[in-house]
Amino acid sequence: MSPPLVEVRRLKKWFETVRGLAREKVFVRAVDGVDFTIARGETLGLVGESGCGKTTVGRLLIRLIEPTEGEIRFDGVNLAEVEAKKLQAMRRDFQIIFQDPFAALNPRMTVSEIIGRPMEIHGLSRRAQRDARVGELLEAVGLRREQLGRYPHEFSGGQRQRIGIARALATRPKLVVADEPTSALDVSVQAQILNLMKELQARFGLTYLFVSHNISVIRHISDRVAVMYLGKIVEVGAKAPLFARPAHPYTRALLAAVPSLDPRRRRGEAVLEGDVPSPVNPPSGCRFHTRCRYVMPRCIVEEPPFYPLDDGRVAACHLFD
């Protein structure tokens, strides 16, 4: 078995801020010690409530922001230790698709310039070859070569996201971080974009970290799923068993909250109640214990490690000790 493309160990990102009239210095623990791997060619879905740290993980993975602690190994290299000059050269191997297709594209650049700029920066081809490659990428994402001279405002939201995908593929990356790429789109367009991403993955041998709060989207596109809560990953495993038999109480409650049109469906778990605690001062022990119906005294004082399950999943819950 080949080593994973991405290995993350004890990854943390604390943002410094101030609180109150006294201007007290505090830290927002956006990501507070996460571990996961992504195999070559797979899609790892990262799901959780808004504010749990999903987007921060994605940006840390490609070093758009600097980690506070931990290791990010990409193809065997620890990105946290790579110098700026070498990191610049490595960036062609990992790209990102942003959430908002309206804000992600420069309105003063044509489609040809937007897609071709990453190739120009990395010196991947000469002008004539670059123009041909840009045309190929535009057709690969379902647009026409005649549209290369147009500007972003001349396209719909779904078309702009296709341009963003083409730009991400311009450097022939190994890893693509997709940061909620369908959340700003209509439902019918969402399905088209998801199917396009799966087609491109098979065609170009891509590896995805797909970040989303939408359970249905994660279920459609992922091979494995990591569930995140308040800066921590609480469950990781293959998609099918995780959705069929969710293990962690948070995962169960998250799936129970998904609306269903089937009147015969019974919710096995109560919908989540209460608010997510502050990441400035997270609860001791298990961070989910303030909202968990199965809380035990041990959960309040002892942080649970990952416990292995019979089907290959792991869950950070004392119920499985």
Side-chain angles (χ1 to χ4, degrees), residues 280-311:
V280 173
N281 187 25
S284 60
C286 174
R287 297 195 172 181
F288 187 60
H289 82 254
T290 58
R291 305 171 75 190
C292 182
R293 63 190 301 187
Y294 303 107
V295 62
M296 303 178 288
R298 180 183 183 187
C299 304
I300 300 172
V301 296
E302 184 181 339
E303 182 177 337
F306 277 131
Y307 294 104
L309 307 181
D310 293 338
D311 54 17

Side-chain angles (χ1 to χ4, degrees), residues 180-194:
E180 307 231 24
T182 61
S183 63
L185 307 176
D186 294 337
V187 175
S188 59
V189 179
Q190 287 183 20
Q192 295 172 15
I193 296 297
L194 292 174

Side-chain angles (χ1 to χ4, degrees), residues 18 20-21 57 75 82 153 164 202 241 267 270 275:
V18 292
L21 294 175
V57 169
D75 216 1
V82 174
H153 73 271
R267 294 188 175 186
D275 295 325

Side-chain angles (χ1 to χ4, degrees), residues 88-163:
Q88 176 69 23
M90 291 182 66
R91 286 196 181 279
R92 60 170 292 184
D93 289 331
F94 41 83
Q95 295 292 320
I96 186 169
I97 302 168
F98 292 100
Q99 177 178 356
D100 186 356
F102 295 91
L105 305 180
N106 189 330
R108 298 183 178 182
M109 296 173 68
T110 64
V111 172
S112 178
E113 292 170 332
I114 289 170
I115 300 175
R117 183 58 59 85
M119 294 185 249
E120 180 182 346
I121 291 172
H122 290 279
L124 296 181
S125 58
R126 295 181 179 178
R127 181 60 185 268
Q129 296 171 320
R130 188 159 63 239
D131 290 344
R133 171 70 174 163
V134 168
E136 291 171 3
L137 285 171
L138 201 65
E139 291 180 340
V141 298
L143 298 176
R144 303 188 309 275
R145 288 179 186 256
E146 305 89 81
Q147 296 172 310
L148 284 171
R150 297 184 183 180
Y151 291 85
H153 73 271
E154 300 180 73
F155 295 89
S156 67
Q159 290 174 322
R160 290 191 195 195
Q161 196 59 290
R162 290 173 186 267
I163 296 168

Side-chain angles (χ1 to χ4, degrees), residues 234-290:
V234 298
E235 184 172 353
V236 185
K239 173 178 64 176
L242 187 143
F243 279 95
R245 299 177 304 279
H248 196 281
Y250 176 64
T251 309
R252 298 179 200 173
L254 209 58
L255 295 181
V258 178
S260 174
L261 297 177
D262 186 354
R264 297 168 297 178
R265 178 190 170 195
R266 297 180 61 185
R267 294 188 175 186
E269 295 285 330
V271 176
L272 282 171
E273 297 180 355
D275 295 325
V276 179
S278 170
V280 173
N281 187 25
S284 60
C286 174
R287 297 195 172 181
F288 187 60
H289 82 254
T290 58

